[in-house]
Amino acid sequence: MTLDLPPIDIAKYVAAKRAADMVEDGMKVGLGTGSTAAWLVRCLAERVQEGLAIKGVPTSQRTARLAQEAGIELITLEEARWLDITIDGADEFDGELNLIKGGGGAHLQEKIVATASDLMVVIADVGKAVDALGAFPLPVEVLQFGWRTTQMLIEEMLVSTDVLGRSASLRMGGQTPFVTDEGNYVLDLHLHRIGHARQLTLMLNQIPGVVENGLFIDICDRVVIGHGDGRVVVRDINLGTEEVSHMESEAEDNLFRDL
């Protein structure tokens, strides 16, 4: 059946479906977190029902629940040790395939899983492409203990960096602070533009109380960009190639009715 979806969801779906086609029988697959990654889980589940044998390593409790409900066999990263491929979404990506991730608060596990993979593939709608990172708030996972001090140290450090904004806010989940799967808080840095992302990620992770930040530098190998008209662009940073195709926005209703 043809899905009756708005263009943004068609873009996410076709990107996820194209990336799911990159997964081969017997692979150990890192499963990302977020709205686009949820489409991926459903697309992989459809292939599993058709006979594809894979083992998935989820990057969050949310993804684990979704994958289990969809019938994908899960293992831990400790059991897998190393992965063939990780497929995940992104909040922003630039021309060098550097990313901002963590809008869903899972960037710590996402970064660990992505770096333990032979291939890291990002799936995104075309609106996530930017000339320079930073319009999306940069998530920084911090310990609950002394988080206000950590926030102060981050804001002081930002004075000497090439960014346009220098404020940090505690992410809330309703009336209480948002808490990650690891029991930490998230500070969102409102930077507007990041001049030197590679330098910033190193400086952030040197601050006491910082667990990990949402800058993914030199981690992504390939990005799959979906468009609302069904077009898909696959850009490979290592091969220097760009492939354009068109995918039909068709899927089984029972797999996608809750997205």
Side-chain angles (χ1 to χ4, degrees):
M1 63 169 290
T2 299
L3 291 174
D4 183 15
L5 295 171
I8 184 66
D9 286 332
I10 290 176
K12 292 179 180 182
Y13 166 65
V14 295
K17 185 169 178 59
R18 178 65 182 86
D21 289 341
M22 299 175 185
V23 177
E24 299 176 4
D25 201 59
M27 278 187 168
K28 291 177 285 187
V29 184
L31 304 174
T33 297
S35 60
T36 310
W39 284 105
L40 169 77
V41 171
R42 295 302 194 183
C43 289
L44 284 175
E46 191 174 37
R47 293 196 61 200
V48 166
Q49 289 186 3
E50 295 169 352
L52 179 72
I54 61 172
K55 294 182 179 180
V57 174
T59 55
S60 68
Q61 295 175 10
R62 300 191 302 280
T63 296
R65 288 192 295 268
L66 180 60
Q68 286 174 332
E69 292 168 359
I72 296 175
E73 180 182 355
L74 298 182
I75 57 174
T76 66
L77 185 57
E78 287 70 26
E79 292 170 321
R81 300 182 67 87
W82 197 259
L83 306 177
D84 297 289
I85 186 173
T86 286
I87 305 175
D88 203 348
D91 298 301
E92 286 184 346
F93 66 90
D94 66 14
E96 297 180 351
L97 303 195
N98 294 317
L99 322 170
I100 285 183
K101 289 179 53 54
H107 53 283
L108 173 57
Q109 289 191 31
E110 289 172 333
K111 188 175 286 190
I112 293 171
V113 170
T115 53
S117 306
D118 287 334
L119 184 69
M120 198 278 186
V121 178
V122 159
I123 50 177
D125 62 86
V126 66
K128 302 297 176 61
V130 296
D131 293 327
L133 299 175
F136 190 90
L138 174 63
V140 179
E141 186 161 341
V142 300
L143 296 177
Q144 290 193 35
F145 175 80
W147 72 266
R148 290 186 185 277
T149 299
T150 304
Q151 178 182 6
M152 179 187 66
L153 291 171
I154 290 173
E155 291 177 336
E156 287 181 353
M157 178 273 292
L158 290 174
V159 173
S160 61
T161 61
D162 184 9
V163 296
L164 291 182
R166 296 180 174 84
S167 65
S169 61
L170 180 66
R171 185 178 298 184
M172 302 297 291
Q175 300 299 312
T176 59
F178 172 85
V179 178
T180 69
D181 285 353
E182 290 74 34
N184 300 314
Y185 286 166
V186 173
L187 295 174
D188 288 312
L189 311 190
H190 306 279
L191 308 178
H192 306 300
R193 183 190 62 81
I194 299 171
H196 301 287
R198 195 180 310 277
Q199 178 188 47
L200 180 59
T201 190
L202 294 173
M203 294 174 70
L204 281 169
N205 284 2
Q206 290 177 349
I207 294 175
V210 170
V211 179
E212 188 54 84
N213 70 81
L215 285 168
F216 283 51
I217 309 299
D218 298 331
I219 295 176
C220 177
D221 299 291
R222 191 179 297 170
V223 63
V224 183
I225 308 164
H227 294 253
D229 61 359
R231 283 183 300 127
V232 181
V233 177
V234 180
R235 190 177 303 158
D236 192 303
I237 194 69
N238 300 313
L239 300 177
T241 58
E242 185 170 291
E243 168 199 314
V244 182
S245 60
H246 190 280
M247 303 195 72
E248 295 298 327
S249 54
E250 297 183 351
E252 292 298 323
D253 180 59
N254 63 327
L255 284 177
F256 296 91
R257 62 180 181 271
D258 58 342
L259 288 177

